Amino acid sequence: MLNKKNLRHLMVAAATALTLPAMAQQNYKQDSVTIKKIYDNALTSTKSYEDLRYLTKNIGARLSGSPQAAAAVEWSRQVMEKMNLDTVYLQEVMVPHWVRGDKEVGRILNSKLLGSVDANIAALGGSVGTGKQGLSAEVVEVKSFEELEKLGKKKVKGKIVFFNRPFDNTELVTGAAYSGAVDQRGGGPAAAAKLGAVGVLVRSMTNDIQDVPHTGATRYQDGVEKIPAAAISTKDAEQLSSLLKDDANLKFYMRMTSETLPDVLSYNVIGELKGTQKPDEIIVVGGHLDSWDIGEGAHDDGTGCMQSIEVLRLFNELGIKPKRTVRAVLFMNEENGLRGGLKYAELAKARGEKHIAAIESDAGGFTPRGFGLDGTKSQLQTVLNWKPLLAPYGLHEIAPGYGGADIGPLKGQGSVALIGFKPDSQRYFDYHHTMIDTFEQVNRREMQLGAASMASLAYLLSEYGL
Amino acid sequence: MLNKKNLRHLMVAAATALTLPAMAQQNYKQDSVTIKKIYDNALTSTKSYEDLRYLTKNIGARLSGSPQAAAAVEWSRQVMEKMNLDTVYLQEVMVPHWVRGDKEVGRILNSKLLGSVDANIAALGGSVGTGKQGLSAEVVEVKSFEELEKLGKKKVKGKIVFFNRPFDNTELVTGAAYSGAVDQRGGGPAAAAKLGAVGVLVRSMTNDIQDVPHTGATRYQDGVEKIPAAAISTKDAEQLSSLLKDDANLKFYMRMTSETLPDVLSYNVIGELKGTQKPDEIIVVGGHLDSWDIGEGAHDDGTGCMQSIEVLRLFNELGIKPKRTVRAVLFMNEENGLRGGLKYAELAKARGEKHIAAIESDAGGFTPRGFGLDGTKSQLQTVLNWKPLLAPYGLHEIAPGYGGADIGPLKGQGSVALIGFKPDSQRYFDYHHTMIDTFEQVNRREMQLGAASMASLAYLLSEYGL
């Protein structure tokens, strides 16, 4: 019967006949069947989604060095141990151990219009505390580092610098808007400290106007004083900015008891299926197991980890014996140090491992859009040749792009291609690094489709190399 | 500077040079600039989103014939009146007036395992009530009409028939899974009544396993007894099915006081920008203003209505004078009668109006994927020629497809093309026809992108015709 669905398959087949090289054409039919099986199985198994529920609800937020991070390591190791893989192991890595301490207090003081009102703040990861008494100071607002430089020491000394450059909402991909604003969070505190500021507030990294503050790492500089730095919710940032107009008496009070403790031993968690023909050629699928300490780290990056494990489950369940080795890596400490990614690359190099590709899922468990590839033209062309197999599943956007933070340190080892799984980006920064990045925000099907997308690409890579 | 963004634009331009016909190439650059302006404006204006907030939070659910539906008509008319359009008017239409009555009671009685437990049910739209005492009867479960027929009168008479065929989760587009299950809701009660059933339960139309029941219209047949029919939540459907195994004493109690009152006068709400060159050629953008009476009708179809109005706002705001007439139509009574769509088509015919295309948004305010076109091959080819202008915004899926319920009755009037705006489908049936189809489930950016997608296509249609 020629219904719409058949028609689509015919059209895809027709397009394929025109675009695929000869060898790929031969295999096209079989690959097409395998990929359909991958999606069917992923969409009807709730294993991965229920695992995410356990990780987020029973373990919860899991910042590097925390008991929850240790629990997540042991639990995910056990999850993979039960899966009949060829190898499951831990990879030791020393990680930073920063703790938030008490719930932060933020308060606008003595404003002309509203008097004193609370503001939602969250210490930036790595920030020093204010001392138990907190600190209050006048606020100076800037939108850029240039503006800050122009103010100079005279106008900055003794004050709290408030970085308030918003996301550019005209960016279609929200990650681009993030890239255009996150320098304030990373570099703001050090730049302000150089001019004598006593504290920093950074507008939260989100497109949305919300009550919840978005935490995230900041970087101090050697030789520059470490001053307390917090994210302020976008709603409160708007209010603070509005109140600051011609208001000489306004001050801001912030209290944070965050501190950095000695490094802690932790682990990357690794499971793999050995390649049947070229076991030495390795394809990584990965995400990061650590999360920030607020919320549940559901989209960032519980989904990426569970999807990576799901790739192996799908191979096993469907009896796919990969020709090349497929390895799931749950990296530790992406959020505040990247020590897991660095350690993984260091050991891969020391052992002379040959990675041909690494796929990272760290942009949320949303509906799939495609893959970004950081590699050679010829690698990109190979993946583009597979597009007729992938586009029917919504994977239209296969283009040069960013791989991922954890796989980044592999760059330059042989000819490894770094591949970022690209889900739809619109909702990611509603939740990113907040208390509302919870299991409830993950749609089961969207997450399943992501895992199937990664598994399909990993399957093609394992069959044909790159 | 050749950054990633420029590179993408160059690639699109290169692709365009190869695929666009000559005339379109000339206009490509200008159209590309206009479409970018449309997206930029849509993504930075919160007008439409705030209008949706008003519609959902201040007016709320608005079933045909209800005071809220009347309020929605008057409010949306006023919204358009304030917009400096060429015409705003109401189109009279008599609509059914069904009321749900008291909150329904559903209860599994005397099960072996759990005794008596509550079950979440919602009367199907159009259903008769049970009488104030409710009814209780044994339950017979079926997955198909064939199975029901096989049981025959002997096994069905006096019982509640429970239609429990689930969504097929392997369908990529959830609408296809809906199509494969919704016959139970539409035709189940009449089929069961023919065999002497006293009531019907239908498994809710959703991929998810949830507590909330999904209402929706059922159709009785002339000459067949009207028996009470309700949707049961998928979670309770699973439980009921499980309890039914070898349980001779199990009964189900249902109480519903729903009833159908006399028809009520209501309206389609219409606003338009007259074409500067071919005012007689009409392009409709539309959604339906009515919703079910539970929840807030946010995705179904508040977003479609607000997006349709937003198309006109974008044209006005950007100074786009359409060559052909662009008309926003908020149809009344899609959910339980389609009287608005029928009346619109009837009057269009009577007046000899020439519709060249109608775009409907009635699949939720989710991130855009493309358009489905119900029209001729040459119409499809024309829209495909515009794909290089649309694909950079994520509109990759331009293919033959379903237009929409409200615009359906226009079919066959001249050579009108019926075009369905296709957002991502994964989450739609989590909310569809439930108490959780609320404003909170709508992501501002996803909704804005949908409006921009409709406006961009309407712009191209208004420039070039079809």
Side-chain angles (χ1 to χ4, degrees), chain A residues 4-5 7-8 11 36 39-41 43-44 49 168-174 207-209 367-369 387 391-397 399-402 424-427 430-431 443-446 449, chain B residues 4-5 7-8 11 36 39-41 43-44 49 168-174 207-209 367-369 387 391-397 399-402 424-427 430-431 443-446 449:
Chain A
K4 265 183 243 167
K5 215 169 158 184
L7 186 64
R8 197 180 57 179
M11 287 168 67
K36 173 82 171 106
Y39 277 88
D40 283 359
N41 192 298
L43 283 167
T44 49
Y49 182 67
D168 177 355
N169 276 317
T170 68
E171 288 285 3
L172 279 181
V173 174
T174 59
N207 298 90
D208 202 5
I209 302 297
T367 205
R369 285 292 197 173
K387 196 167 165 183
Y393 299 93
L395 297 164
H396 300 283
E397 300 175 8
Y402 175 63
D424 193 82
S425 76
Q426 301 309 324
R427 289 176 283 149
D430 292 359
Y431 313 127
N443 176 276
R444 176 175 53 77
R445 288 179 58 87
E446 293 189 346
L449 287 171
Chain B
K4 267 183 239 167
K5 215 169 160 186
L7 187 65
R8 197 179 60 179
M11 287 168 69
K36 173 80 171 106
Y39 276 89
D40 283 357
N41 192 298
L43 284 167
T44 48
Y49 183 67
D168 177 356
N169 276 316
T170 68
E171 289 284 4
L172 279 181
V173 174
T174 60
N207 298 89
D208 202 5
I209 302 298
T367 205
R369 286 292 199 173
K387 196 167 164 182
Y393 299 93
L395 297 164
H396 300 283
E397 300 176 8
Y402 175 63
D424 193 81
S425 76
Q426 301 310 324
R427 289 175 284 149
D430 293 358
Y431 313 126
N443 175 276
R444 176 175 54 78
R445 287 179 58 87
E446 293 189 347
L449 288 171

Side-chain angles (χ1 to χ4, degrees), chain B residues 58-78:
Chain B
N58 293 30
I59 296 176
R62 45 202 179 277
L63 187 59
S64 293
S66 68
Q68 291 80 8
V73 165
E74 179 53 20
W75 171 79
S76 57
R77 190 188 66 76
Q78 289 187 23

Side-chain angles (χ1 to χ4, degrees), chain A residues 17-53:
Chain A
L18 294 171
T19 56
L20 280 186
M23 191 200 72
Q25 263 195 60
Q26 289 181 323
N27 298 311
Y28 174 78
K29 197 174 163 185
Q30 182 53 47
D31 292 337
S32 166
V33 168
T34 300
I35 289 173
K36 173 82 171 106
K37 282 183 189 164
I38 287 172
Y39 277 88
D40 283 359
N41 192 298
L43 283 167
T44 49
S45 165
T46 56
K47 161 94 171 45
S48 187
Y49 182 67
E50 291 305 323
D51 281 348
L52 180 70
R53 188 196 302 273

Side-chain angles (χ1 to χ4, degrees), chain A residues 418-435:
Chain A
L418 307 181
I419 302 176
F421 165 61
K422 278 176 61 179
D424 193 82
S425 76
Q426 301 309 324
R427 289 176 283 149
Y428 191 48
F429 291 98
D430 292 359
Y431 313 127
H432 187 246
H433 296 184
T434 69
M435 61 184 291

